[in-house]
Amino acid sequence: SQLCYICAIPNSPEYYNPYKHPERAVIRRDKILGDMLELDFITKEQYDEAIAEEIVIEKPEYQFNDYLSTYAIDCSTRYIMGKDGFEFRYSFDNMTDYNEYKALYEEAYTSANYKLVTSGYRIYTTLDPNIQGQMQLVIDEQLAFDSEIDEETQMYSLQGALTVIDNSNNKVVALIGGRSQEDKPEIYGLNRAYQSYRQPGSTIKPLVVYTPALMTGYTPDSLVMNISISAAKVKGTNVQELTGDVMTLRSALEHSKNGVAWQIFDKFGANYCMEFAEGLRFSSLCPNDYFNSSSLGGLTYGTTTVEMAGAYNSLYNHGKFTEPTCIDKFIDKEGNNIYEEESPTTVYSEKAADTMVDMMTGVLTRGTAAKLGWYRNTDMIAACKTGTTNQSKDGWLCGFTPYYTVSVWVGYDTPRELSGLYGATYPGQIWKEAMLLLNTDKEIITEFEKTQAYYEPIAAYGDLPEYVYEVYMPGRDDSEILSGTYTVHDYRLDRWIGESVSDATLAMTYVDMNDERWAYEVTDYYYKGVALINTIRSASYKEELQIELDRVHNEVIALYNQVHPGVLQ
């Protein structure tokens, strides 16, 4: 009876999974016994005895009672899935497609996990118990102010998660899945670092808004507008016609201006921007995420600290992404190492990634994380981005030094508001203390390494965004000659640069005339416009833009002299 039961399972291991569906294999066992009786392989008495035997399945309990072990098991299981041919996907045609894939994923994961724990593998990891202990202490100490216990789980209500990647090998060396509680080994049943998917807030902006924009020709000095999000959400609104405070792209990132991120995301479109999240292998992306709200981190299911650490590590690595894992060696029962390192994939251009890293350094000096006082504690260069979701339900800080990438999340397991929770408060303090410990005794580095591409001028402002082809000479080929050597592509490029000139022109009119730096800011916008105009090929269009720039410049000066007579010399 037991032999036939076992023989029933391989025909469809998941369908006949004895732990999940023990009754299904019994039906097939009975069929096998009937076939054996029919072929006279067994007697009627043997058949009756076997059919009557009750099958009892004893499921072994594999105890992995710490965050390092549970994550190592997850990485190993996913590796087996890949070795067995499972195709991981990160984009879907519709929600039905998404849900069907998730069902297939769970089935393959269960099968691979069973194979993992029954095949005699020995797995070596990059996880460091010493670093783990330090990081756990940081989480525990920084969140000790809140001792509320969840009545249902008997765990701390306020929780945190953290992931550390060693930039020298791009491997996970530590991850914290929650706060410690004495005499409660069951806390390890949920490893929030890779199992809790939460909305990332503004930490998503460098990944799906600003670095993608830099790849199309934006620079840190590009002028952008902080439009009204409320106005942008009104049905039927043309987001690109909205105006707002004018600032540089660098300033928008440093101060986490939501209106700028929304406007840029809308300009390029969700399909373009979300391709980068797909390339970073955000595993819970779904078709409902391809809307402007994703520019602010409003993802349907969210992401984890492991995924965010991997994404930010790609920025540090000049745009090359390595999927986070802790596996170092994977030894089978014959003693062979079957682990093969995956080659990094290019998600961002080197220039765009290096530029984004440079921009993010300002978050710690002038931006939303300046109050952390990073440089009052060390001279080690660092870059980061803060993130807070609506009603302060989730707080994030993700960033790196030349040695480590660290992502931190703080919030409640059942999302609710926490007064004072922002990216730079509790998550920021955890990130800061963790980074200071990680970088202790490391040689001080004061600048991030940059590729040669960073120093090269933008070649033809990169690839033109899709909307340019829809607005300027739609349907015509880039290479078509318009006059002499002037092509359709040149025309489109000129018009696209002209949009930035128009932004600079408009920006002069938005400078507050009561600001003591009015003259400096207006002059700065004017010469940014001039610099852009000088890159345009068409002489007539160049003249047209220069005339308009001069006209507005003269008008704002004249108006200023009326308001503040005798101030300008």
Side-chain angles (χ1 to χ4, degrees):
S1 178
Q2 294 181 24
L3 285 173
C4 289
Y5 186 91
I6 292 172
C7 287
I9 295 171
N11 180 262
S12 182
E14 184 57 24
Y15 181 82
Y16 294 114
N17 187 320
Y19 299 144
K20 296 169 67 173
H21 309 291
E23 73 288 349
R24 292 177 179 175
V26 170
I27 295 173
R28 187 164 178 81
R29 174 205 68 173
D30 293 351
K31 179 189 182 305
I32 295 172
L33 288 169
D35 291 343
M36 295 176 72
L37 176 62
E38 183 179 342
L39 295 171
D40 294 328
F41 289 162
I42 58 175
T43 65
K44 183 65 167 61
E45 291 74 16
Q46 289 175 312
Y47 171 82
D48 292 339
E49 181 181 354
I51 285 289
E53 183 175 335
E54 180 183 0
I55 297 293
V56 178
I57 301 299
E58 296 180 0
K59 183 177 180 179
E61 294 297 329
Y62 302 102
Q63 297 295 329
F64 304 113
N65 58 354
D66 60 64
Y67 294 130
L68 295 182
S69 296
T70 55
Y71 178 60
I73 292 299
D74 181 69
C75 289
S76 303
T77 300
R78 286 171 52 83
Y79 184 72
I80 290 177
M81 289 171 69
K83 291 284 285 184
D84 287 347
F86 183 81
E87 181 182 350
F88 294 94
R89 294 176 57 194
Y90 306 96
S91 64
F92 306 91
D93 297 332
N94 48 54
M95 286 303 295
T96 300
D97 184 28
Y98 173 83
N99 291 327
E100 288 175 351
Y101 167 79
K102 284 298 181 181
L104 290 173
Y105 178 96
E106 290 301 322
E107 181 177 331
Y109 189 95
T110 300
S111 179
N113 184 256
Y114 180 75
K115 183 176 181 179
L116 174 70
V117 298
T118 59
S119 299
Y121 293 118
R122 284 180 292 131
I123 299 174
Y124 297 80
T125 77
T126 55
L127 298 170
D128 188 323
N130 293 325
I131 294 178
Q132 180 77 3
Q134 291 178 323
M135 298 300 101
Q136 185 70 66
L137 189 60
V138 169
I139 287 268
D140 292 344
E141 290 180 346
Q142 292 297 323
L143 299 182
F145 67 90
D146 190 322
S147 58
E148 177 189 324
I149 299 293
D150 184 282
E151 292 184 3
E152 182 178 346
T153 65
Q154 291 301 301
M155 304 298 164
Y156 285 125
S157 297
L158 179 64
Q159 288 291 344
L162 174 153
T163 298
V164 182
I165 290 179
D166 185 339
N167 292 339
S168 68
N169 58 15
N170 306 316
K171 293 292 184 78
V172 176
V173 293
L175 77 166
I176 305 302
R179 296 167 64 182
S180 298
Q181 285 184 254
E182 292 184 5
D183 302 322
K184 283 192 176 294
E186 61 270 27
I187 66 171
Y188 300 111
L190 174 63
N191 190 331
R192 296 167 185 83
Y194 76 92
Q195 290 179 313
S196 290
Y197 286 80
R198 305 297 287 253
Q199 292 191 351
S202 293
T203 56
I204 200 73
K205 292 174 183 175
L207 307 176
V208 302
V209 180
Y210 292 121
T211 312
L214 292 170
M215 291 183 66
T216 69
Y218 275 72
T219 73
D221 294 324
S222 292
L223 299 176
V224 291
M225 288 189 181
N226 187 33
I227 64 172
S228 164
I229 297 296
S230 297
K233 289 182 177 179
V234 175
K235 188 176 181 179
T237 298
N238 184 340
V239 174
Q240 297 310 304
E241 291 181 353
L242 297 176
T243 60
D245 294 337
V246 180
M247 61 195 68
T248 64
L249 192 72
R250 183 186 294 275
S251 179
L253 171 80
E254 291 174 351
H255 299 285
S256 201
K257 297 298 185 181
N258 287 344
V260 173
W262 190 286
Q263 193 269 350
I264 292 175
F265 190 95
D266 177 83
K267 182 176 184 177
F268 293 120
N271 287 340
Y272 170 75
C273 293
M274 295 306 289
E275 277 184 7
F276 296 93
E278 295 169 15
L280 296 168
R281 302 184 187 179
F282 279 29
S283 61
S284 286
L285 284 182
C286 71
N288 291 339
D289 292 328
Y290 289 71
F291 295 95
N292 287 351
S293 57
S294 289
S295 66
L296 310 183
L299 303 179
T300 304
Y301 299 112
T303 183
T304 66
T305 61
V306 169
E307 290 182 349
M308 291 301 286
Y312 272 70
N313 177 255
S314 75
L315 294 175
Y316 170 79
N317 281 306
H318 317 295
K320 288 183 170 55
F321 171 75
T322 302
E323 183 163 12
T325 185
C326 65
I327 300 177
D328 185 41
K329 290 188 294 185
F330 207 114
I331 310 300
D332 64 18
K333 59 184 179 182
E334 281 79 33
N336 302 309
N337 182 13
I338 63 171
Y339 185 65
E340 299 177 10
E341 294 282 359
E342 182 180 352
S343 298
T345 57
T346 299
V347 175
Y348 306 108
S349 68
E350 291 180 341
K351 184 175 183 67
D354 289 354
T355 302
M356 179 48 56
V357 171
D358 178 70
M359 290 170 62
M360 288 198 304
T361 60
V363 176
L364 282 164
T365 56
R366 298 178 297 273
T368 53
K371 289 184 179 180
L372 288 177
W374 173 260
Y375 291 106
R376 291 197 296 269
N377 296 273
T378 179
D379 291 325
M380 184 75 76
I381 189 69
C384 73
K385 182 69 187 75
T386 58
T388 310
T389 61
N390 289 343
Q391 300 177 319
S392 295
K393 292 180 179 179
D394 301 275
W396 291 79
L397 199 141
C398 305
F400 42 78
T401 68
Y403 296 101
Y404 294 98
T405 299
V406 174
S407 62
V408 178
W409 165 83
V410 172
Y412 293 100
D413 284 336
T414 301
R416 58 185 168 98
E417 182 177 356
L418 172 61
S419 177
L421 174 61
Y422 301 98
T425 55
Y426 310 126
Q429 287 297 328
I430 291 171
W431 185 89
K432 172 186 168 184
E433 294 304 319
M435 274 297 197
L436 290 174
L437 282 170
L438 289 165
N439 288 273
T440 299
D441 300 328
K442 298 288 187 183
E443 180 182 352
I444 296 294
I445 299 175
T446 57
E447 293 290 338
F448 283 109
E449 179 187 77
K450 296 179 175 65
T451 60
Q452 182 59 38
Y454 174 80
Y455 300 99
E456 296 172 355
I458 297 174
Y461 281 71
D463 294 328
L464 295 175
E466 287 185 19
Y467 81 90
V468 171
Y469 292 88
E470 299 171 359
V471 174
Y472 303 113
M473 294 190 173
R476 297 174 71 169
D477 191 88
D478 261 350
S479 61
E480 181 184 340
I481 300 294
L482 296 177
S483 176
T485 60
Y486 192 74
T487 66
V488 169
H489 179 272
D490 293 329
Y491 176 88
R492 288 171 173 150
L493 178 59
D494 280 352
R495 264 55 190 176
W496 186 45
I497 298 171
E499 292 179 11
S500 295
V501 176
S502 297
D503 289 343
T505 304
L506 183 62
M508 292 189 292
T509 69
Y510 276 87
V511 181
D512 184 357
M513 290 190 179
N514 294 315
D515 188 336
E516 61 182 15
R517 289 184 53 81
W518 179 89
Y520 297 100
E521 291 192 30
V522 167
T523 301
D524 186 47
Y525 288 136
Y526 176 81
Y527 282 109
K528 281 176 180 174
V530 171
L532 288 165
I533 288 171
N534 287 334
T535 67
I536 290 174
R537 286 199 61 189
S538 170
S540 59
Y541 188 51
K542 183 181 295 189
E543 181 181 8
E544 174 189 330
L545 290 170
Q546 187 66 57
I547 290 172
E548 179 64 12
L549 182 68
D550 290 338
R551 183 188 69 79
V552 174
H553 186 230
N554 291 333
E555 284 184 358
V556 296
I557 290 176
L559 183 59
Y560 185 86
N561 282 331
Q562 291 178 18
V563 177
H564 302 286
V567 174
L568 292 180
Q569 302 298 323

